[in-house]
Amino acid sequence: MNNRIYLYILVMAAVTYFIRVLPLTLIRQEIKMTFIRSFLYYVPYVTLSVMTFPAILTATKSIWSGIAALLAAAILAYKEKSLFQVSLAACMVVFVMEFFL
């Protein structure tokens, strides 16, 4: 088992490296297709959302307080409140929900 760990690390490093190097070597000119440009534009946001969403729901004792905080934060963000107000409201919702649950 100890010898295989180095193989696993090597494969992981190679895959990570090739994912980053292949686009640089294969695509030489500017991408003009609007679909691909918009897809590449939103990839970082989707990746961040996919990593953050489960953490929001599981960071509290109860999943219901996480859901309530997520909804409160989404509503305030939609109303274009500041980041400080959104995060403070989400923390307060979690505090109140955990106090009563």
Side-chain angles (χ1 to χ4, degrees):
M1 183 65 182
N2 285 339
N3 293 338
R4 285 191 163 192
I5 190 104
Y6 296 115
L7 177 65
Y8 297 153
I9 292 172
L10 180 67
V11 169
M12 180 190 65
V15 168
T16 304
Y17 180 74
F18 286 130
I19 287 173
R20 293 184 177 155
V21 168
L22 280 178
L24 292 174
T25 58
L26 296 178
I27 302 171
R28 296 285 182 179
Q29 68 256 10
E30 182 182 354
I31 299 171
K32 294 186 169 122
M33 291 182 61
T34 56
F35 176 75
I36 294 176
R37 286 178 64 95
S38 66
F39 175 79
L40 293 174
Y41 178 79
Y42 288 111
V43 165
Y45 300 109
V46 170
T47 305
L48 182 62
S49 300
V50 167
M51 293 185 329
T52 306
F53 183 73
I56 292 170
L57 299 179
T58 59
T60 61
K61 274 187 193 176
S62 170
I63 193 167
W64 298 110
S65 59
I67 291 171
L70 177 65
L71 289 174
I75 290 169
L76 289 176
Y78 182 74
K79 292 184 177 184
E80 298 181 356
K81 299 297 180 184
S82 70
L83 180 61
F84 181 73
Q85 290 173 331
V86 171
S87 60
L88 186 65
C91 291
M92 292 304 294
V93 168
V94 168
F95 180 74
V96 169
M97 290 288 292
E98 292 290 326
F99 184 73
F100 289 114
L101 288 179

